[in-house]
Amino acid sequence: MRFLPALTRAAALGAATILAATALTACGDDSSSDATANPYGLAQSGVLRAGTLTDAPPNVYLKDGKFTGFDNDLLTAVAGKLGLTVEFVGTDFSALLSQVNNRKFDVGSSSITITEARRKTVDFGNGYDFGYFGLDVPAGSPITGFDQLAGKRVVVVQGTVQDDYATGKQLNPVRVPDYNGAINQLKAGTADAWIAPAEIGEKSATDSNGKITVAAKQLSPAPTAYAVAKGNDKLREALNKGLDEVIADGTWSRLQAQYYPGRPIPADFTPGSGTVKAPSASAAPSASATAVPSASASTAS
C-alpha cells in the first residue's frame, strides 16, 4: 500500500508525457496541413488578393462595380489555372508596390513596368504586355515631341514609369496622385504637358472637347508584369506557369484583341517565359466579355 502513491505519480507523469507528445505531433500536422492548403503563402488560402487601380481603362478599371480590364481579366484567368479566385481591391499606384511587399496584397495588377528601381521593393513575374508613353498638351501648344520638354512644366502621376522617365530626363516634373489630377492641370493651363500612358492620354484628349491634344507617342522601354512580395518565389513561379498556360490556350491573344483591337505587337516582344507560342486572335477562344473602350496603345505605369 505504501507503494501506491509512487505508482500513481509515475502513471501521471507517463500520461503527461504522452499528451505532450501528442500535442507536438498535432502541431506538426497543422503546419504541414497549412503548407499544403496554402502553398503560396496567401493572406487567405485559395484567394489571390490583388491591388489594382479603378481609373485606367482599358488595362485596369472599375465598371458597374466590377474590376475589369486587360490586366485584371488576364490575372483572373491565370489564377484559375492555379485553382485560385481573385479578390481585387482599389488603391493608388504610388502606394501599390509597398503594399504588395508588406503583404497587404498578394499581387499588384496595374500594368506595372519592370524597372531596376522597382526590383528593390518587389519581385516581378514574367512580362505579359508592353506599353507606350503618350505626350498630352493643351490645344494650340507648340510642343510636338518629348525632346521639347526642357524648362516646361511637365505633370506626371507619382510613382509611375512616366515619373521615372521625366525624372531621368531631369525635367523636375509636377507629381499628382492620379490621372484626373493630371488632366485637370492641363485643362486649367497650369501644366505645359503631361507624360501619360498613351491610351489614357488619347482617351483623355478625346473626352476633353478639344482642350487637350496628343502631341507624340513612344514605346516604353520595358514590359509590364505582375508584382509580388520580395522572396515569394512560390507565388511568382506559379503565376509564371499560369501565364504560360493562358498564352498557350489562346486567352492572352483573345484579351489582346478584345481590349486593344488593331494594336500591333512589337516584333521583339514575347509574352511569358518565351517557351510557349501565342495563337493568333482568330484562333483563340471567342470573347464573352462586354465591349470595352477601344485602344491603340496600352497603359504602362
Side-chain angles (χ1 to χ4, degrees):
M1 296 297 292
R2 295 174 64 181
F3 292 103
L4 286 177
L7 290 172
T8 302
R9 287 196 298 271
L13 286 171
T17 301
I18 293 171
L19 287 172
T22 302
L24 288 172
T25 302
C27 288
D29 289 343
D30 287 345
S31 176
S32 175
S33 177
D34 288 346
T36 302
N38 190 10
Y40 311 124
L42 305 178
Q44 180 182 348
S45 179
V47 179
L48 189 65
R49 186 174 171 86
T52 188
L53 306 187
T54 62
D55 62 347
N59 290 69
V60 288
Y61 63 104
L62 194 61
K63 181 178 181 181
D64 299 328
K66 178 183 177 182
F67 285 96
T68 187
F70 174 80
D71 299 62
N72 289 342
D73 286 4
L74 183 67
L75 182 60
T76 298
V78 169
K81 298 293 186 180
L82 307 179
L84 303 174
T85 59
V86 184
E87 177 188 356
F88 291 105
V89 181
T91 188
D92 291 330
F93 187 83
S94 60
L96 178 58
L97 298 187
S98 62
Q99 290 171 333
V100 169
N101 198 47
N102 66 26
R103 307 267 182 148
K104 178 177 181 178
F105 303 124
D106 301 307
V107 63
S109 172
S110 183
S111 293
I112 307 168
T113 301
I114 300 172
T115 69
E116 289 307 310
R118 290 173 178 175
R119 288 186 189 276
K120 296 177 181 178
T121 303
V122 294
D123 287 339
F124 288 100
N126 291 329
Y128 61 80
D129 202 14
F130 56 94
Y132 290 83
F133 292 169
L135 184 61
D136 278 28
V137 298
S141 170
I143 297 174
T144 58
F146 289 88
D147 59 347
Q148 300 173 354
L149 299 179
K152 303 298 183 181
R153 185 175 172 86
V154 178
V155 65
V156 295
V157 174
Q158 183 177 0
T160 62
V161 71
Q162 293 83 29
D163 185 351
D164 295 342
Y165 173 86
T167 302
K169 294 293 184 179
Q170 299 182 334
L171 297 177
N172 191 26
V174 176
R175 297 176 176 88
V176 294
D178 54 36
Y179 296 113
N180 287 331
I183 294 167
N184 290 336
Q185 289 258 354
L186 287 186
K187 288 182 176 179
T190 54
D192 298 311
W194 169 31
I195 302 177
E199 189 281 330
I200 293 178
E202 290 173 351
K203 187 174 188 304
S204 299
T206 300
D207 294 344
S208 71
N209 295 320
K211 294 181 180 179
I212 299 172
T213 62
V214 178
K217 184 170 69 176
Q218 68 182 34
L219 186 65
S220 177
T224 62
Y226 298 116
V228 300
K230 295 288 287 184
N232 195 348
D233 294 337
K234 288 186 177 180
L235 178 57
R236 177 180 55 80
E237 291 166 1
L239 291 174
N240 285 342
K241 179 177 180 292
L243 175 60
D244 275 356
E245 291 180 14
V246 299
I247 292 169
D249 73 12
T251 301
W252 183 87
S253 298
R254 171 181 61 81
L255 292 174
Q256 283 281 325
Q258 176 184 339
Y259 285 98
Y260 312 119
R263 182 185 71 162
I265 297 174
D268 59 351
F269 175 75
T270 302
S273 67
T275 62
V276 295
K277 183 178 180 181
S280 64
S282 59
S286 61
S288 59
T290 56
V292 298
S294 62
S296 58
S298 71
T299 300
S301 300

